Amino acid sequence: GQQLSKEVKKSENVLKIVMSPATDKSLVNDYVDLVPHPSVPDFVKLMDLKGMKKSDVGPLIEQLGQNKKVSKTEYVYADEELDVQPQDLGAGSTFANWKNKF
């Protein structure tokens, strides 16, 4: 019920960003306002989905980076179960032996 509604809203917001005109001056502000955890890597992915050229995305990333609400790294949802097994990670990974610690 409520979880599904939240997921649908997230999807709608992503679609609003992807479907908005590439020339829209408020693109960065819309992204920050519509996405709960805005980050530069996620923004780049969305601009790639829009089919924007890297040369057009550069100034937007610069504008985005000036916003204090925006993370420079990708957001990882702490409440979501990650489907990663220790064998999927390199031997030197911090998480490679996590099952042995619990």
Side-chain angles (χ1 to χ4, degrees):
Q2 189 175 3
Q3 181 65 25
L4 178 62
S5 180
K6 280 173 57 176
E7 294 302 317
V8 169
K9 186 70 176 160
K10 278 188 211 175
S11 300
E12 286 176 353
N13 290 342
V14 167
L15 281 174
K16 285 179 188 175
I17 295 163
V18 172
M19 300 306 291
S20 66
T23 56
D24 191 349
K25 298 285 184 212
S26 63
L27 190 59
V28 170
N29 291 335
D30 289 347
Y31 172 73
V32 172
D33 291 341
L34 291 172
V35 176
H37 305 283
S39 73
V40 172
D42 287 344
F43 181 78
V44 171
K45 288 177 192 172
L46 287 176
M47 296 307 101
D48 191 40
L49 282 173
K50 286 177 74 60
M52 290 184 68
K53 296 177 192 161
K54 289 184 191 256
S55 59
D56 294 336
V57 176
L60 297 175
I61 292 171
E62 195 172 307
Q63 181 185 348
L64 185 70
Q66 294 170 0
N67 189 310
K68 301 230 182 299
K69 288 193 237 175
V70 177
S71 171
K72 305 288 186 263
T73 58
E74 198 165 356
Y75 180 78
V76 176
Y77 295 93
D79 62 340
E80 289 183 8
E81 188 174 316
L82 298 176
D83 190 27
V84 177
Q85 299 300 317
Q87 62 270 19
D88 297 336
L89 302 167
S93 167
T94 306
F95 302 104
N97 298 315
W98 68 273
K99 281 193 175 177
N100 298 336
K101 295 182 180 179
F102 296 103

